[in-house]
Amino acid sequence: MKTVSNRIRKSTKGAGDLIDITGDLSAILSESGLDIGQVTLFVIGSTAGITTFEYEPGLVRDMREFYELLAPSARHFHHDDTWGDANGFSHVRAAITGPSLVVPFEGGRLLLGRWQQIVLAEFDNRGRNREIVVHVTGELIG
């Protein structure tokens, strides 16, 4: 069993920025040379998340609207009283989405559905420089 560690770095525009990182992960997996195993990814920070969905304009818009309904940016959150940064909604959205994901791979390819992409979700109320830790763990077969 071998593990390869890498990073993906993305600059975001702030809340509602949803970035397809599937290509970045596929490139890291390809560079690893491994045939079968799993990719674990984790976004550093408490106001971003990692998820999967069909990355097309309509669903990107639907996801933005869903997050706004779930944790409205104009609503007061108790977290805002603590730090005064008005991003309580960002923390709630990130906590519900989660910071990590595990994706299996076989034949050196991510086992994703035909319309399934891996997405970095930025929830903070300002742009950020995000770092995603990627660990590829697996084996080379034959």
Side-chain angles (χ1 to χ4, degrees):
M1 192 73 69
K2 178 181 174 184
T3 299
V4 176
S5 182
N6 210 322
R7 301 279 198 276
I8 296 171
R9 290 172 179 82
K10 295 289 182 186
S11 293
T12 68
K13 298 173 186 169
D17 200 4
L18 301 169
I19 302 170
D20 180 356
I21 59 170
T22 310
D24 299 285
L25 288 170
S26 292
I28 290 170
L29 176 56
S30 179
E31 290 170 14
S32 78
L34 298 174
D35 293 318
I36 188 168
Q38 63 186 27
V39 176
T40 303
L41 54 153
F42 178 87
V43 61
I44 297 173
S46 60
T47 56
I50 300 286
T51 190
T52 68
F53 60 81
E54 180 180 347
Y55 194 84
E56 58 84 17
L59 193 54
V60 168
R61 184 174 173 190
D62 289 336
M63 293 303 296
R64 288 180 180 137
E65 290 174 2
F66 171 75
Y67 282 123
E68 186 60 33
L69 287 171
L70 186 66
S73 56
R75 180 182 173 266
H76 174 78
F77 287 85
H78 299 290
H79 171 78
D80 302 335
D81 297 334
T82 303
W83 300 110
D85 51 6
N87 73 344
F89 73 95
S90 308
H91 290 275
V92 170
R93 293 176 187 183
I96 290 169
T97 303
S100 63
L101 187 68
V102 176
V103 181
F105 66 89
E106 289 179 0
R109 297 178 154 253
L110 296 168
L111 294 178
L112 297 171
R114 181 176 181 171
W115 306 112
Q116 184 178 28
Q117 286 82 40
I118 301 167
V119 179
L120 166 64
E122 178 61 72
F123 300 119
D124 212 337
N125 57 3
R126 62 186 179 96
R128 295 277 187 175
N129 292 317
R130 293 295 181 185
E131 184 174 16
I132 303 157
V133 178
V134 180
H135 289 171
V136 180
T137 304
E139 298 180 57
L140 182 61
I141 299 177

